[in-house]
Amino acid sequence: MKTKESWLCSECGDVQAKWVGSCFACKNWNTMQRFVEKTEASSYAIKTSRQAKPIPLDEVSLVPFEKTKTGLEELDRLLGGGFVTGSLTLLGGDPGVGKSTLMLMLADLFCKKGFKVLYISGEESIEQTTMRAKRLKISSKDLYLFSETVFEEIKKEVENIKPQVLIVDSVQIVYKSSIASYPGSVTQVKEIAIECMHIAKRMHITTFLIGHVTKTGELAGPRVLEHIVDTVLDFEGDSSQGFRMLRAHKNRFGPTEEVALFQMTETGLAEINSPSEVLLKERIKGSSGSTIIPTIEGSRAILVEIQALVASSPFSTAARRASGIDGNRLALLLAVLEKRMGYHFHNLDVFVSIAGGLKIKEPAIDLGLLIAIASSFANRPIPLNTLIVGEVGLGGEVRSVPRIDVRIKEAVHMGFERCILPKRCLPKKEHAIELVGVERIEEAVSLLIG
Ligand code: TYD
Ligand code: MG
């Protein structure tokens, strides 16, 4: 069989004819891996190609997708109603975040719906997976565990058992013995994903691939598979903290950018139906450097606490640390505070974080973050019943933010009594909360800190 050699970036999937040290597209180093393509049509391609003909659009008969609800409310909302039968989903995340735990829980839920599930536990022995299942209180006769890494063997068992759901844990450990490269290489991972796509579509098996996100390029990251699969779910969260966020990064059958929140407990992952309540539970009352902001995640608002600590620095170069927030954004807000408010941070360490270990990217948290820093700087707590929202510009102006009504509604729901927001965003509609519009950061600071 004729083959063609090319080099593929394991981080972004860019293809080059020759090896290069740093990827031209994503600029990562040592991520190019050899990829051998067959130039003749492979055997499975011939088997699956039907005698398809082009059809005029108006003659296409539409059969609605058959979706299966998992029973996990948050997850079903994230997916837009459940998993589509015969779809291929990639679940990506850092090692230890809880991918195997989530998939085992899903396997159990599918079994409860009367489906047969085949769980390929290539990374762990049957005993390890069984112990995890015991911890999660899962026992089902329709859940088949198979500790195997050779793809050909897995395929045989799939044809034998004929499950409705197939879970491959993980795509980086399974390999085809007919391909020379090692498991986890771009060639292997792509080939396994394409094979699983054919299994999913031809046999109508809802298939899940678990993939580790790696930055080193050692194993092919899930990013090279994104275009092959139907749905990409990202599982994020600090493994040392309890909260986990599941995001639909790509979804051919439903919405994207929705998030579902989970909490890792002793007995598995628990859904968080009202995130604001859980996230604000541990708030210390009357402490300086703490503000509450309403942030938008997907279609809803979540109230989160931002914490800042400004302390004198024992070293000549002061530290700036941000967790859950972009470090550049922090530097910018400090500069704005120095320039517009006359604060001096040059001999002060500044630490900021989002309570609960969440990550927030939207600039609507700027004003809340700035006030948290100012509050810690002045050592004056912010009134407990107040929340703050607004983007801050370089000139110290408070800029408008999208979807203010959703944010205010959540604040009212959580019992807040006052909201500081950009003046331009003041809604015409009455709300059961005092709304204070501000145009500049000075107004907000003098209002809250004095
Ligand atoms: P795991 O699902 O193995 O992560 P991944 O497959 O993404 O590598 O689980 C990760 C962590 O979760 C592990 O350190 C133990 C913890 N855990 C719990 O806290 N509670 C539980 O019920 C389970 C099963 C795991
Ligand atoms: Mg695992």
Side-chain angles (χ1 to χ4, degrees):
M1 187 172 287
K2 277 186 199 160
T3 56
K4 186 183 132 205
E5 184 187 281
S6 50
W7 293 83
L8 213 135
C9 174
S10 60
E11 286 294 318
C12 71
D14 190 49
V15 185
Q16 293 296 330
K18 285 207 172 108
W19 183 85
V20 283
S22 152
C23 173
F24 291 146
C26 69
K27 308 277 185 278
N28 275 311
W29 285 90
N30 293 328
T31 54
M32 302 309 282
Q33 295 190 353
R34 197 165 147 258
F35 182 63
V36 182
E37 266 178 299
K38 294 175 198 139
T39 44
E40 287 166 27
S42 58
S43 52
Y44 59 76
I46 295 167
K47 246 190 284 172
T48 53
S49 65
R50 278 175 284 132
Q51 290 295 313
K53 282 198 187 105
I55 313 171
L57 180 62
D58 56 354
E59 283 175 27
V60 178
S61 57
L62 268 188
V63 187
F65 297 121
E66 193 186 315
K67 284 190 178 178
T68 309
K69 280 208 158 102
T70 62
L72 287 175
E73 240 174 73
E74 285 288 285
L75 185 63
D76 291 337
R77 186 183 54 83
L78 170 101
L79 294 166
F83 286 106
V84 172
T85 307
S87 67
L88 181 63
T89 303
L90 173 70
L91 175 67
D94 292 331
V97 73
K99 300 180 295 296
S100 303
T101 308
L102 178 67
M103 276 328 305
L104 205 57
M105 287 173 67
L106 281 182
D108 183 45
L109 290 167
F110 280 122
C111 286
K112 286 196 177 119
K113 299 245 160 196
F115 292 164
K116 222 190 267 179
V117 181
L118 178 59
Y119 191 110
I120 312 296
S121 62
E123 297 208 337
E124 293 170 342
S125 66
I126 298 269
E127 289 75 21
Q128 280 171 312
T129 311
T130 310
M131 264 162 59
R132 178 183 283 123
K134 281 230 162 67
R135 195 169 164 186
L136 301 174
K137 299 199 171 55
I138 292 171
S139 65
S140 173
K141 61 175 180 35
D142 288 326
L143 175 56
Y144 292 76
L145 300 179
F146 188 30
S147 183
E148 180 58 76
T149 51
V150 182
F151 183 76
E152 287 83 351
E153 294 299 317
I154 294 169
K155 198 170 173 188
K156 239 186 259 165
E157 284 308 320
V158 170
E159 272 156 16
N160 198 8
I161 295 176
K162 297 193 176 57
Q164 279 94 17
V165 178
L166 171 70
I167 298 165
V168 180
D169 187 0
S170 69
V171 68
Q172 280 128 340
I173 199 116
V174 174
Y175 66 98
K176 257 179 130 176
S177 52
S178 55
I179 299 174
S181 52
Y182 56 90
S185 65
V186 176
T187 321
Q188 285 284 7
V189 164
K190 282 205 148 180
E191 192 73 21
I192 299 295
I194 291 169
E195 283 279 6
C196 286
M197 188 64 160
H198 286 287
I199 287 180
K201 303 289 159 198
R202 203 180 57 218
M203 299 173 74
H204 299 286
I205 298 176
T206 311
T207 307
F208 296 87
L209 302 174
I210 293 181
H212 300 290
V213 178
T214 54
K215 295 210 169 68
T216 56
E218 177 84 1
L219 295 171
R223 290 173 79 177
V224 295
L225 304 180
E226 275 171 10
H227 62 282
I228 301 173
V229 301
D230 295 315
T231 306
V232 180
L233 299 179
D234 285 341
F235 207 24
E236 12 178 287
D238 201 334
S239 46
S240 60
Q241 302 230 19
F243 295 111
R244 301 285 186 277
M245 263 195 184
L246 189 67
R247 253 177 233 280
H249 176 67
K250 165 185 175 178
N251 193 352
R252 282 188 181 147
F253 307 108
T256 52
E257 298 309 324
E258 281 291 339
V259 288
L261 258 104
F262 294 89
Q263 193 162 18
M264 185 60 99
T265 67
E266 273 301 295
T267 51
L269 289 157
E271 281 192 292
I272 300 179
N273 296 96
S274 54
S276 307
E277 219 164 281
V278 178
L279 288 170
L280 298 185
K281 213 161 57 184
E282 288 183 35
R283 188 181 184 201
I284 304 172
K285 297 185 172 69
S287 143
S288 68
S290 151
T291 53
I292 305 296
I293 50 125
T295 181
I296 297 282
E297 284 291 355
S299 58
R300 66 174 172 192
I302 301 177
L303 304 192
V304 292
E305 181 187 357
I306 295 189
Q307 295 183 325
L309 181 67
V310 180
S312 64
S313 173
F315 304 109
S316 53
T317 38
R320 306 277 180 256
R321 298 271 183 280
S323 85
I325 300 159
D326 181 16
N328 294 330
R329 206 76 207 158
L330 171 64
L332 186 143
L333 292 176
L334 288 178
V336 171
L337 268 175
E338 291 208 340
K339 184 85 181 171
R340 310 287 159 200
M341 300 296 304
Y343 288 22
H344 292 295
F345 292 106
H346 64 270
N347 54 355
L348 296 171
D349 287 339
V350 182
F351 305 94
V352 292
S353 77
I354 308 268
L358 299 187
K359 291 189 184 81
I360 300 179
K361 287 199 193 101
E362 66 159 356
I365 66 165
D366 285 356
L367 189 61
L369 181 56
L370 184 133
I371 295 290
I373 297 167
S375 155
S376 180
F377 182 87
N379 206 15
R380 294 233 179 100
I382 304 298
L384 277 176
N385 62 356
T386 304
L387 83 170
I388 305 159
V389 62
E391 182 182 341
V392 172
L394 292 184
E397 77 278 18
V398 177
R399 297 166 159 260
S400 55
V401 297
R403 318 220 348 239
I404 197 75
D405 281 314
V406 182
R407 297 178 204 256
I408 294 173
K409 241 183 164 163
E410 182 69 8
V412 173
H413 174 68
M414 290 301 296
F416 282 82
E417 289 160 11
R418 188 165 63 148
C419 180
I420 314 295
L421 72 168
K423 203 164 199 169
R424 280 166 183 261
C425 286
L426 276 173
K428 291 185 190 79
K429 236 175 35 191
E430 278 281 310
H431 285 277
I433 186 170
E434 183 193 347
L435 299 171
V436 186
V438 289
E439 274 181 321
R440 304 199 47 81
I441 59 161
E442 291 90 331
E443 289 169 55
V445 172
S446 74
L447 195 74
L448 293 164
I449 294 159

